[in-house]
Amino acid sequence: MWEQHYAPVGGSVGWSALVAALPLFTLLYLLGVRRTAAWIAGLSGLGAAGAVALFVYRMPAKMALGAALYGAAFGLFPICWIIFWAIFLYRISVETGQFEIIKDSIGSITADRRLQALLIAFAFGAFVEGAAGFGAPVAVAAAMLAGLGFSPFYAAGICLLANTAPVAFGSIGIPVITLAGITGLPVEKLSAAVGRICAPVSLFVPAYLVLVMGGWRALKGVLGAALGCGAAFSGMQWYASNYLGPELTDILSSLAAIGACLAAARLAKPNGTFVFEGAAAEAALPPRHEGRAVLKAWSPYILLVICVLAWGRADIKAALNSMTVVVEWPWLHNRVMQMPPVAAQASPYAARYAFQWLSAAGTACLLACVLTAAALRAPRALLGKVFRDTAGQMAKPILTVASVLGLAFLMNYSGATGTLGLAFAETGAAFPFFSALLGWLGVFLTGSDTSANALFGNLQVVTARSLDLNPVLMAASNSSGGVMGKMISLQSIAVAAAATGMAAGDEGRLFRFTLRHSVFLAAVIGVVVLGYAYVFPHWAPAP
C-alpha cells in the first residue's frame, strides 16, 4: 500500500503545487505559446505528469503506469465510443445528401440577418453540439452563415459566441458523464447542477449575440424573438438536465430554441431587416423542400433522440447494465492510500473500471446509426467510406482524449491533484468564483469541456471538501465556467477559420474579438456560482 503525500517539496504545499502544476504549464505553453497540435500537447503533458509522479511524489512505477492506462481506458470507452458514433451519424447525413436539406430547411425560413444568426448560429449550432460536438457545430453553422452572405469573420465570430450555452452538455452529454466518472459523484446530480448554473446565462445569450452583432439598435427590432429563443432554450435546458439527464439536454433545448425561432419568423414581424457591416444587405435564401423530404432529412436525429431516450429509461437501463463488466484495475485498485486532509480519514483509493458496452450512450448512438442506414437505404460502400473517414478524422482526437484522461487520472492517483486542491483552498470564500474561472482556463487550454473536466474535476471536489463547500456545485462550476473558454480555444478558432475560408491573418483578430466576451461571460458564471454557494445554497443539488 502506497500513501499519498501532498507536500513533497520541502514540506510546503505552495512549492509542491507549483511542481504539481508542471503538466498543466506544459499544456499551456505548447497550446498557447508554441501552438502545438493538441495530440502532441496531450502526450507531452502526460509525460510531464509521469515525471512528476515518479520523481517528485515517488509513486511506484507500476502504479503510475496503471493510473495512466486507467485514465486512457476511460477516455476510449465510454468517451470516444460516444464521439465516434455521433460523428459517424452526422457523416451519414452529409454523405447521403440529407444534411443539405437540413441546412436548406433552416436557411430558407427568414431573410432577417438577426433571425438567421439566432436560428443557425445559436439554435441549430446547439443542436449539432448536442449531436456531435468537438468542433462540428462551429464548422457547420459558420459555413452555413457564410453561404448565406455573412462575411467570413462575422460568421466565425458569431458562431464562436453562440457556441457557449450548449457546450457543457455537448456530444450526448459526454462532458458531464466524464465529470461524473472522474469525480465519482452521481451523474444525475452533476447534470442538474450544471443545468441550474448554465440556464440563467443561456436565457440572455441570444440577445447578447444580437447586441454584439449590431448594438442596441439591432437588438431592439428582434428583442422579443431573442428573449423567446433564450427562454425556450434555457427552460428546456433546466428541465432536461434536472429530470432527463445530460445525454439529451442539448438536443431537446436546441429543438425548443429552433421552435421559438420558427415561431418568431412566422408570426412576429421584426422591425425591418437590419443591415450591418458583416453581411450582405439581402439574404440569399436556399430552396424550399417538401415536408416529406425534410422529415426524411431529419430522421437520423429523430432516431437518435428516440434511441437515447429509450436507453435512459430506468427499466431498460437496468437490464442493459446487467451486462456491464467491472474490472478491478491491475496495479492500482485499492493500492493507493488517500490521506487527510484530502480524505476525511486514511482510506484506499478504488480503481474499478466499468465496461458498460451495452448500456453506454454510445451504443444507443450506434443503434441510431444502424437504423439511419436502413431508413436512408445507404449503400454498403458508402457506409464503409463513412466509417473510414470517421476513423481517420477521429484518430488524433482519440489520442488527445486518451492522453489527457491519462494525465488527469495520474495526477489524481499520485496526489498532485490533492496538492493543487489544497493550494486553491487558500482562496477561501472566493473559491466558488475562481472555480468557474478554473474551468474556463481548462477549456482554453484543451479546447474541450470534456478534457477540462478530466483535468480539473477532481481538483474542484478536493478543494470544495477542504473548504466545506458543496462538491457537486464546485464540480459543476468547472464544466459551466468551461463553456466560456470554448470561444477562445485555439482549436475552435482554427475550425471556424477553416470552415469560413477566413484569411490566415484574421485568426489573431478573431481571438481578440472573442476574448473580451469570453472573460465577461466567465465572470458572470462565477457570480452565479457564488450565488448558489452562499445566497441560495438550497437551490443547488445536495452532495
Side-chain angles (χ1 to χ4, degrees), residues 82 92 114 118 149 186 221 233 254 286 310 335 370 408 476 492:
I82 295 175
I92 289 178
R114 297 160 295 182
L118 292 178
F233 185 93
S254 61
R335 295 193 180 187
V370 173
S492 296

Side-chain angles (χ1 to χ4, degrees), residues 267-538:
L267 303 177
K269 293 184 178 180
N271 185 19
T273 300
F274 185 84
V275 179
F276 66 103
E277 61 175 328
E282 296 295 331
L285 294 180
R288 293 181 180 271
H289 301 271
E290 63 178 12
R292 182 176 298 180
V294 173
L295 181 62
K296 180 182 178 182
W298 281 92
S299 62
Y301 295 105
I302 295 173
L303 291 169
L304 176 63
V305 170
I306 293 172
C307 290
V308 174
L309 278 176
W311 250 242
R313 282 179 54 93
D315 52 345
I316 296 177
K317 195 173 187 67
L320 298 176
N321 273 329
S322 66
M323 304 299 293
T324 296
V325 178
V326 179
V327 178
E328 293 184 351
W329 203 259
W331 306 333
L332 191 64
H333 176 64
N334 285 344
R335 295 193 180 187
V336 175
M337 183 71 74
Q338 284 188 304
M339 306 298 292
V342 169
Q345 58 185 13
S347 55
Y349 201 165
R352 293 187 181 91
Y353 177 66
F355 183 54
Q356 299 172 310
W357 64 276
L358 194 55
S359 62
T363 306
C365 295
L366 170 58
L367 178 59
C369 290
V370 173
L371 295 176
T372 294
L376 299 181
R377 298 180 180 179
R380 290 184 182 180
L382 184 143
L383 294 176
K385 177 181 181 299
V386 169
F387 186 88
R388 291 190 299 272
D389 290 347
T390 304
Q393 178 184 349
M394 285 296 299
K396 289 180 180 178
I398 285 175
L399 184 57
T400 302
V401 172
S403 60
V404 170
L405 266 293
L407 180 158
F409 276 58
L410 181 53
M411 289 184 67
N412 288 345
Y413 281 90
S414 69
T417 299
T419 300
L420 291 172
L422 294 175
F424 267 95
E426 295 301 316
T427 59
F431 178 73
F433 179 84
F434 290 102
S435 171
L437 294 185
L438 189 61
W440 171 81
L441 176 64
V443 176
F444 165 66
L445 291 175
T446 66
S448 163
D449 204 41
T450 299
S451 298
N453 286 343
L455 275 176
F456 297 136
N458 208 50
L459 185 152
Q460 299 274 14
V461 172
V462 168
T463 309
R465 286 173 175 158
S466 68
L467 293 172
D468 198 26
L469 293 168
N470 184 340
V472 171
L473 178 63
M474 293 302 100
S477 172
N478 192 84
S479 190
S480 304
V483 306
M484 301 310 174
K486 187 78 169 181
M487 70 179 81
I488 58 171
S489 72
L490 299 182
Q491 295 92 319
S492 296
I493 289 175
V495 167
T500 58
M502 185 190 305
D506 281 343
E507 291 187 3
R509 178 184 167 212
L510 183 60
F511 177 80
R512 293 190 297 273
F513 172 76
T514 55
L515 178 61
R516 62 182 182 274
H517 303 296
S518 178
V519 173
F520 169 70
L521 292 172
V524 170
I525 291 286
V527 171
V528 171
V529 176
L530 276 173
Y532 280 123
Y534 299 120
V535 183
F536 307 107
H538 55 286

Side-chain angles (χ1 to χ4, degrees), residues 170-184:
S171 194
I172 321 297
I174 199 61
V176 177
I177 294 171
T178 301
L179 188 61
I182 201 165
T183 61

Side-chain angles (χ1 to χ4, degrees), residues 164-170 175-176 179 186-203 230-231 233-247 249-250 253 449 453 472-473 475-481 483 525 528-529 532 539-541:
T164 52
V167 166
F169 295 98
V176 177
L179 188 61
V187 67
E188 298 83 5
K189 290 188 176 182
L190 286 172
S191 175
V194 172
R196 294 179 196 187
I197 295 171
C198 289
V201 181
S202 300
L203 178 64
F233 185 93
S234 64
M236 183 57 73
Q237 187 179 52
W238 182 291
Y239 174 81
S241 62
N242 279 265
Y243 299 106
L244 300 178
E247 291 87 357
T249 295
D250 271 354
S253 300
D449 204 41
N453 286 343
V472 171
L473 178 63
S477 172
N478 192 84
S479 190
S480 304
V483 306
I525 291 286
V528 171
V529 176
Y532 280 123
W539 287 8

